[in-house]
């Protein structure tokens, strides 16, 4: 898979990986250094009115994402679990000890989980797998040829296709060939090259695009172009040449579409400070984190929009979970 370096986070930074619950009123996050020396999964009200712990474990809990039905999906000891935002029974979602889950993402309706089946460390090849948020059970692992490794890019707007990258791989580091964008139906079957998937706009996505993500309304595809200075580009699914949204990314920063399909959130890196920013479809950027230094636990982790697209939640260097309006107003610490 394409291995991206994790963003270093100071040991003193306790709250991490914030995400919105499906109703948009609360933020779930991992507390990686609680007073009891155990990890915690915490749910806090976005208005700052209170918080409560819904799960504890010595190996808890990241990544964290808010799923359908007011569930929180998280990884503990490299295994997928779900728990209600109000607490209660913790449900394992991948019912096999053979599945190792370092990272995952959700379909647009938050009903399907795509996760790494492997270490995501570069020392062995990885597969990608799918499992339902509500039912759990034995996941569907996407079959791959030998001497290849797969990594997740995202879902089609309707959630029926998983887009991923298949790259050559071998143990001595002398693999030959180029990565290929692929698509897999969440209902099963065989994966096909993305250009032949039938997904609108897929045939126009450059073969070297990194992390292609379709807008929720299906009208656009955003992707990173690997260059000495990477950049974020935008492609209309109705045709035409791509346009440059963010001309200079100092690293392979993850990004995410707003639910309204009008803006993209991304990490804006600077020489002294990093910021959480958004960009509209004309390339106008807005820093929303103010003077705070935005960080993520891993460069795979994507900025987290509220379900209605009106707010974002993020963590900052030095500690703390914050929420902010999509226009940069209403900046507030909640943990």
């Amino acid at each position: 898979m394409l291995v991206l370096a994790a963003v270093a986070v100071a040991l003193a930074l306790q709250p991490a990986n914030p995400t919105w619950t499906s109703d948009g009123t609360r933020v779930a996050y991992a507390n990686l250094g609680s007073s009891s020396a155990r990890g915690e999964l915490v749910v806090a009200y976005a208005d700052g009115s209170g918080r409560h712990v819904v799960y504890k474990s010595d190996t808890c809990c990241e990544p964290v994402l808010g799923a359908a039905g007011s569930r929180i999906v998280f990884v503990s000891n490299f295994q997928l679990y779900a728990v209600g935002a109000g607490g209660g029974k913790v449900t394992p979602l991948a019912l096999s000890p053979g599945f190792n889950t370092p990272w995952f993402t959700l379909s647009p309706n938050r009903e399907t989980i795509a996760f790494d089946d492997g270490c995501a460390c570069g020392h062995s090849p990885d597969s990608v797998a799918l499992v339902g948020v509500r039912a759990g059970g034995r996941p569907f692992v996407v079959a791959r040829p030998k001497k290849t490794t797969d990594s997740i890019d995202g879902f089609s707007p309707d959630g029926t296709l998983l887009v991923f990258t298949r790259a050559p791989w071998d143990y001595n580091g002398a693999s030959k060939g180029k990565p290929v964008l692929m698509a897999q139906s969440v209902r099963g079957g065989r994966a096909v090259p993305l250009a032949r998937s039938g997904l609108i706009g897929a045939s126009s996505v450059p073969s070297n695009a990194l992390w292609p993500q379709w807008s929720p309304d299906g009208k656009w595809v955003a992707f990173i172009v690997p260059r000495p200075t990477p950049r974020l580009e935008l492609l209309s699914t109705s045709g035409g040449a791509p346009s440059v949204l963010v001309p200079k990314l100092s690293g392979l920063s993850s990004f995410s579409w707003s639910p309204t399909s009008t803006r993209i959130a991304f990490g804006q890196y600077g020489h002294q400070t990093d910021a959480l920013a958004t960009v509209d479809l004309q390339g106008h950027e807005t820093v929303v984190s103010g003077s705070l230094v935005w960080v993520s636990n891993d460069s795979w982790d994507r900025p987290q929009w509220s379900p209605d697209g009106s707010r974002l939640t993020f963590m900052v260097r030095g500690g703390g979970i914050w929420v902010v309006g999509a226009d940069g107003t209403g900046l507030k610490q909640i943990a």
Side-chain angles (χ1 to χ4, degrees), residues 19 25 66 111 113 123 190 206 311 326:
T19 185
T25 64
E111 292 280 3
I113 303 166
H123 302 307
R190 295 180 63 87
R311 292 176 292 175

Side-chain angles (χ1 to χ4, degrees), residues 5-293:
V7 178
V9 179
L11 293 178
L13 181 62
Q14 305 303 325
N17 283 117
T19 185
W20 294 89
T21 59
S22 58
D23 63 5
T25 64
R26 291 163 289 181
V27 172
Y29 61 90
N31 190 345
L32 303 181
S34 68
S35 58
S36 61
R38 306 186 75 200
E40 297 176 340
L41 182 63
V42 182
V43 176
Y45 283 94
D47 62 4
S49 61
R51 64 181 75 97
H52 61 280
V53 176
V54 296
Y55 178 78
K56 285 187 179 183
S57 170
D58 292 334
T59 58
C60 186
C61 310
E62 56 175 332
V64 180
L65 288 179
S70 294
R71 290 170 171 82
I72 308 298
V73 178
F74 62 97
V75 170
S76 182
N77 194 27
F78 299 100
Q79 298 291 302
L80 274 172
Y81 295 90
V83 66
K89 181 181 179 181
V90 177
T91 304
L93 294 178
L95 300 178
S96 170
F99 291 103
N100 201 26
T101 310
W103 191 84
F104 69 92
T105 192
L106 293 173
S107 62
N109 65 3
R110 306 192 185 202
E111 292 280 3
T112 303
I113 303 166
F115 66 91
D116 294 314
D117 177 26
C119 72
C121 60
H123 302 307
S124 62
D126 296 309
S127 298
V128 296
L130 297 159
V131 70
V133 166
R134 299 178 188 269
R138 187 170 182 81
F140 167 70
V141 181
V142 178
R144 59 175 176 80
K146 293 181 179 179
K147 297 184 178 181
T148 63
T149 185
D150 293 345
S151 58
I152 299 164
D153 292 308
F155 284 88
S156 61
D158 63 3
T160 62
L161 291 176
L162 173 68
V163 178
F164 66 97
T165 296
R166 175 161 290 164
W169 193 93
D170 62 26
Y171 283 95
N172 62 22
S175 54
K176 297 180 180 179
K178 296 181 179 180
V180 179
L181 290 169
M182 303 287 292
Q184 170 68 54
S185 169
V186 300
R187 300 181 179 90
R190 295 180 63 87
V192 298
L194 178 63
R196 300 209 311 262
S197 66
L199 179 56
I200 185 172
S203 61
S204 300
V205 176
S207 60
N208 67 337
L210 298 180
W211 289 355
Q213 291 186 43
W214 269 251
S215 60
D217 63 9
K219 295 180 179 180
W220 307 93
V221 188
F223 53 89
I224 292 176
V225 176
R227 298 160 49 92
T229 301
R231 66 191 186 197
L232 182 64
E233 294 194 359
L234 182 70
L235 176 71
S236 171
T237 57
S238 61
S243 61
V244 178
L245 276 187
V246 181
K248 293 183 179 180
L249 297 172
S250 63
L252 295 176
S253 169
S254 60
F255 62 92
S256 60
W257 279 96
S258 71
T260 59
S261 301
T262 57
R263 301 191 74 86
I264 293 173
F266 68 101
Q268 185 187 66
Y269 294 99
H271 296 293
Q272 301 297 325
T273 62
D274 302 338
L276 180 62
T278 66
V279 61
D280 66 17
L281 304 188
Q282 289 73 47
H284 303 124
E285 297 181 24
T286 300
V287 173
V288 298
S289 55
S291 61
L292 299 171
V293 179

